[in-house]
Amino acid sequence: MQRHLLTIFLAATAASAVTTPFSFPSLPDLVASPKTPSTPFPLSAARHPSKICVVDPEATDAGPALISAARECNNGGTVVLLPDTTYTIASPTDLTFLQSVDVLILGTVVFSDDVEYWQTRAFGYPYQDAHLFWKFGGRDVNIYGLGIGTLDGLGQTWWTAKRSNETLYRPILFGTDGLFGGSVSGLNMKNSPFWFNVIMNSSDILITDINIWIEVTNSSSPPANTDGWDTYRSTNIVIQNSTIDNYDDCVSFKPNSTNIIVQNLQCNGSHGISVGSLGQYQGEYDIVEDVYVYNISMSNASDGARIKIWPGVPPNTTGSNSGGGAGYVRNVTYDLFYNTNTDWAIELTQCYFASSQEACNEYPAVLLVEDILFKNFYGITSARHDPRVGTLVCSDPSGGGNGRYLITEKGANSDTQVCKNIRAENIAVAPPSAVTAEWICTNMDEGLLDVNCIAA
Ligand SMILES: *[C@@H]1O[C@H](CO)[C@@H](O)[C@H](O)[C@H]1NC(C)=O
Ligand SMILES: *[C@@H]1O[C@H](CO)[C@@H](O)[C@H](O)[C@H]1NC(C)=O
Ligand SMILES: *[C@@H]1O[C@H](CO)[C@@H](O)[C@H](O)[C@H]1NC(C)=O
Ligand SMILES: *[C@@H]1O[C@H](CO)[C@@H](O)[C@H](O)[C@H]1NC(C)=O
Ligand SMILES: *[C@@H]1O[C@H](CO)[C@@H](O)[C@H](O)[C@H]1NC(C)=O
Ligand SMILES: *[C@@H]1O[C@H](CO)[C@@H](O)[C@H](O)[C@H]1NC(C)=O
Ligand SMILES: *[C@@H]1O[C@H](CO)[C@@H](O)[C@H](O)[C@H]1NC(C)=O
Ligand SMILES: *[C@@H]1O[C@H](CO)[C@@H](O)[C@H](O)[C@H]1NC(C)=O
Ligand SMILES: *[C@@H]1O[C@H](CO)[C@@H](O)[C@H](O)[C@H]1NC(C)=O
Ligand SMILES: *[C@@H]1O[C@H](CO)[C@@H](O)[C@H](O)[C@H]1NC(C)=O
């Protein structure tokens, strides 16, 4: 069906101007499956089949061409990037005005690798110095590539440049800022300079059928920070049915990620599906809540399921950017997880970057971790920590000493228990030696953990 429509579409495009109505591959039915969001996604308004705006394939900078096609097709049309065409975006491209419009990417979108240029031009955000080449926002927007469309970040130039300046801004390949309702599907994404995707200030988005990978051409300048997806200040997001081959988190839930489903992913070479890090900044309040991670195949990774929380800081420390931030992680489930050659099948820590467990016990996390469930974990870890396969570490919950206050929505209270109801059920993960698997469990309620805890 897609091939047939594509043929008609190409013939029509070649033969006539955009004014003649013609067929083009419409948005496939996209469903969140098998898990569905607790709040159903809003319905997309009907698109006019003849309202099509082809992005000028001749434009030397595809940025302004894309913006003008989007303005023309806004409110019910479809913007089309033609197949067998390379579009180069060479200037910051603000697509946050979109309303009920689709963007069909059948060609390749490349981002200029003029490192110097983007330092001052990319859209910059204070959070982790995130920068974007382009940003999508608005309401009811479907960006789709039917497995053909490709985004290419020319990452190697950036990874090499990073070697001479560690703090150089490296833009994210795809980002939303204030996108309410819509989808991102069927895209190939390769060689991102930094994270592949960031979903910020957004809600009600289905992301499906994405293929992410990295090609290194200079092994002296390896990729860094190439997370698959990061969510931030966003709610009701589903990420599913995708393959991710990268060198950092497969998916990472950053502050204020709620109602997120991640399912049917194949992650390779990654740092796991991660909550956090959270609690890094004193004075900030980070929330990750109602997250369901289902059916993940994780290979050649440092971690499978991961939760990383910074510990507290000494009393009266001000402006610390290494822990002491408040908030909570609540109601997070990891269900059905297949490990192959992962260093830790599960790594939960409330002592992220603490110099020692003692230091962490002295100044425990002020960010609560509760109602966490790990269940149905299978597979074999790497030999790295054999016979240990997982690690579950909380700050000392026993209280005593300075600064041990849990900061809740209602303010500080004297409840010092910063880890609550952390469970592990049906965990069948073995080390390669096939001896009995061992787990590091520190300050945990071991009665809730169906694993073989050993003293650390
Ligand atoms: C995602 O995968 C599930 C299970 O394999 C399937 O039922 C569903 O149709 C897929 N969704 C899309 C949008 O491809
Ligand atoms: C490194 O990049 C940052 C961000 O563009 C810039 O502020 C800084 O001056 C650069 N450092 C050097 C040594 O060029
Ligand atoms: C999100 O929205 C807020 C309020 O409109 C704005 O200040 C912020 O820059 C936006 N982006 C991010 C990433 O928070
Ligand atoms: C490869 O990376 C190294 C280290 O950053 C750099 O010195 C060298 O110039 C790079 N080679 C090429 C062909 O870019
Ligand atoms: C898990 O995801 C894979 C794709 O990675 C899919 O083939 C399989 O059907 C899914 N299994 C379940 C139980 O949803
Ligand atoms: C998976 O990751 C490993 C380790 O990073 C890498 O060697 C391998 O090529 C990757 N596999 C695929 C299919 O890309
Ligand atoms: C997260 O949400 C809470 C509650 O609305 C808010 O107080 C806090 O500032 C938000 N944090 C971030 C990092 O946006
Ligand atoms: C926990 O999160 C799931 C979504 O992952 C949601 O369906 C459920 O209602 C939440 N439970 C509570 C008690 O809020
Ligand atoms: C894991 O890495 C090995 C060795 O690099 C590779 O052969 C294998 O294909 C990788 N697994 C996946 C799922 O890519
Ligand atoms: C922290 O500051 C408060 C208020 O200024 C002061 O009473 C307290 O002694 C200080 N604590 C430490 C350990 O310095």
Side-chain angles (χ1 to χ4, degrees):
M1 165 277 212
Q2 281 167 12
R3 184 163 299 279
H4 172 65
L5 287 175
L6 192 61
T7 311
I8 297 170
F9 169 71
L10 287 174
T13 317
S16 62
V18 188
T19 46
T20 315
F22 58 85
S23 247
F24 66 95
S26 58
L27 181 68
D29 267 341
L30 303 174
V31 286
S33 168
K35 304 290 175 193
T36 53
S38 46
T39 311
F41 290 134
L43 290 177
S44 206
R47 304 294 191 252
H48 307 296
S50 59
K51 190 168 173 179
I52 293 164
C53 306
V54 174
V55 179
D56 180 3
E58 312 274 274
T60 47
D61 178 1
L66 182 52
I67 290 171
S68 75
R71 288 207 188 286
E72 210 179 310
C73 257
N74 219 8
N75 300 302
T78 300
V79 171
V80 178
L81 289 91
L82 299 173
D84 301 318
T85 306
T86 299
Y87 292 89
T88 303
I89 291 187
S91 57
T93 301
D94 184 345
L95 295 163
T96 53
F97 58 86
L98 306 179
Q99 296 288 328
S100 296
V101 59
D102 292 348
V103 179
L104 169 56
I105 302 176
L106 295 170
T108 297
V109 180
V110 175
F111 298 85
S112 124
D113 62 354
D114 183 339
V115 173
E116 199 61 41
Y117 171 86
W118 289 106
Q119 293 311 297
T120 50
R121 304 321 198 290
F123 302 110
Y125 294 88
Y127 184 72
Q128 297 201 344
D129 275 339
H131 281 73
L132 291 174
F133 295 118
W134 59 345
K135 54 179 176 178
F136 286 86
R139 207 163 280 279
D140 179 19
V141 179
N142 301 295
I143 300 143
Y144 64 115
L146 302 173
I148 306 166
T150 300
L151 310 183
D152 182 352
L154 303 178
Q156 187 66 67
T157 307
W158 298 87
W159 311 323
T160 303
K162 176 186 182 289
R163 293 292 304 256
S164 6
N165 181 355
E166 283 291 323
T167 59
L168 188 89
Y169 302 135
R170 287 174 289 137
I172 295 162
L173 188 59
F174 180 89
T176 69
D177 183 3
L179 179 60
F180 306 107
S183 61
V184 184
S185 67
L187 287 169
N188 300 300
M189 301 185 177
K190 65 173 183 176
N191 299 332
S192 182
F194 195 69
W195 305 339
F196 274 87
N197 294 274
V198 68
I199 305 298
M200 302 185 285
N201 272 359
S202 298
S203 64
D204 304 316
I205 298 172
L206 173 61
I207 297 166
T208 188
D209 299 282
I210 307 290
N211 188 17
I212 285 176
W213 77 95
I214 282 175
E215 293 154 357
V216 181
T217 53
N218 183 348
S219 56
S220 326
S221 300
N225 316 97
T226 51
D227 295 4
W229 283 270
D230 279 42
T231 57
Y232 180 65
R233 295 182 174 167
S234 292
T235 192
N236 210 30
I237 310 293
V238 176
I239 301 172
Q240 65 175 22
N241 296 22
S242 296
T243 59
I244 300 91
D245 194 353
N246 68 346
Y247 292 73
D248 210 313
D249 293 328
C250 191
V251 182
S252 173
F253 311 110
K254 302 291 193 195
N256 292 14
S257 296
T258 59
N259 281 293
I260 316 276
I261 293 171
V262 171
Q263 58 190 349
N264 296 7
L265 299 189
Q266 292 175 277
C267 307
N268 176 52
S270 89
H271 294 177
I273 309 269
S274 304
V275 173
S277 69
L278 301 181
Q280 183 170 2
Y281 304 105
Q282 245 197 312
E284 291 192 15
Y285 200 86
D286 298 343
I287 298 169
V288 171
E289 188 170 27
D290 301 335
V291 171
Y292 209 99
V293 179
Y294 180 73
N295 185 29
I296 307 296
S297 295
M298 181 66 70
S299 310
N300 301 314
S302 65
D303 299 87
R306 189 171 191 191
I307 298 181
K308 33 185 176 175
I309 310 298
W310 292 78
V313 290
N316 298 355
T317 303
T318 51
S320 163
N321 69 347
S322 53
Y328 58 86
V329 179
R330 183 181 294 148
N331 187 24
V332 174
T333 301
Y334 287 88
D335 177 9
L336 204 52
F337 220 100
Y338 301 97
N339 292 279
T340 309
N341 196 33
T342 51
D343 297 344
W344 294 123
I346 301 174
E347 179 176 12
L348 181 156
T349 183
Q350 247 183 355
C351 299
Y352 194 53
F353 280 115
S355 54
S356 64
Q357 186 64 42
E358 290 67 35
C360 182
N361 288 347
E362 193 175 357
Y363 302 113
V366 287
L367 193 144
L368 172 69
V369 179
E370 73 176 338
D371 304 335
I372 310 296
L373 174 59
F374 301 100
K375 66 174 179 183
N376 305 322
F377 276 59
Y378 302 97
I380 299 176
T381 57
S382 74
R384 181 131 183 221
H385 308 290
D386 192 334
R388 298 175 183 189
V389 302
T391 170
L392 299 158
V393 174
C394 283
S395 301
D396 181 4
S398 65
N402 289 318
R404 302 191 176 198
Y405 293 102
L406 187 61
I407 299 167
T408 70
E409 295 105 305
K410 297 187 188 75
N413 71 29
S414 56
D415 181 352
T416 54
Q417 199 186 342
V418 288
C419 265
K420 290 180 187 175
N421 191 24
I422 295 171
R423 294 173 179 269
E425 296 170 3
N426 188 30
I427 308 294
V429 178
S433 66
V435 302
T436 304
E438 295 181 354
W439 289 73
I440 297 169
C441 308
T442 306
N443 297 327
M444 299 295 301
D445 182 348
E446 294 184 16
L448 304 179
L449 301 174
D450 180 19
V451 298
N452 174 34
C453 289
I454 50 135

